[in-house]
Structures are given as structure tokens and as C-alpha cells.
Amino acid sequence: MEFIDLTGHRCPYPLVKVKMAIKALPTGQQLQVILSDKQSCRDVPEYIKKQGHVVRTAPTQLGHLAVWITKT
């Protein structure tokens, strides 16, 4: 599983990084992302779902958003 910590980064940087990471990820593999920016917390999971990938989210203890993406 790949991991990217994007806390402290504001949109659109997290979305661009996630797009690039998914492109390089083999089908069936997972990517975990940690987000802190409010707009990114909304936009990244929404974009991933629209692309047809499996997305699971959960808040972290620090108030960030953990996102698990499985490439389909």
C-alpha cells in the first residue's frame, strides 16, 4: 500500500498529487492519503468516486481525513 501525507497542503495540490499517484498505481492496489484542507477533504474523495475507484474515508484523531483508495 502506498501512503501520502498531504496535511498542511491546500487545494489543488492534494488533488493533483492523488491523481498522479493513482495513475502510477497498479489496478487492485491501495493508496492511503491523509488530508487536512477542508476543500481537499471534500474534493479528493468526490473525484476518486467519479473516476470509479473504491473510496473509504475516516476522520483521524488529529481532525484530519484519512482516505483509502483502491484502484479499479
Side-chain angles (χ1 to χ4, degrees), residues 10-31:
R10 297 184 67 203
C11 221
Y13 182 77
L15 183 58
V16 172
K17 288 294 286 185
V18 168
K19 284 180 181 181
M20 291 171 44
I22 289 174
K23 189 174 185 178
L25 201 64
T27 300
Q29 293 297 308
Q30 274 196 327
L31 170 67

Side-chain angles (χ1 to χ4, degrees), residues 23-49:
K23 189 174 185 178
L25 201 64
T27 300
Q29 293 297 308
Q30 274 196 327
L31 170 67
Q32 181 184 9
V33 181
I34 305 293
L35 303 166
S36 59
D37 175 57
K38 275 188 169 185
Q39 187 171 349
S40 296
C41 289
R42 186 189 68 233
D43 292 350
V44 170
E46 188 176 296
Y47 170 80
I48 301 307
K49 287 177 190 174

Side-chain angles (χ1 to χ4, degrees), residues 40-64:
S40 296
C41 289
R42 186 189 68 233
D43 292 350
V44 170
E46 188 176 296
Y47 170 80
I48 301 307
K49 287 177 190 174
K50 285 182 180 178
Q51 295 302 306
H53 304 295
V54 178
V55 179
R56 205 169 41 97
T57 62
T60 68
Q61 291 179 345
L62 298 175
H64 303 312

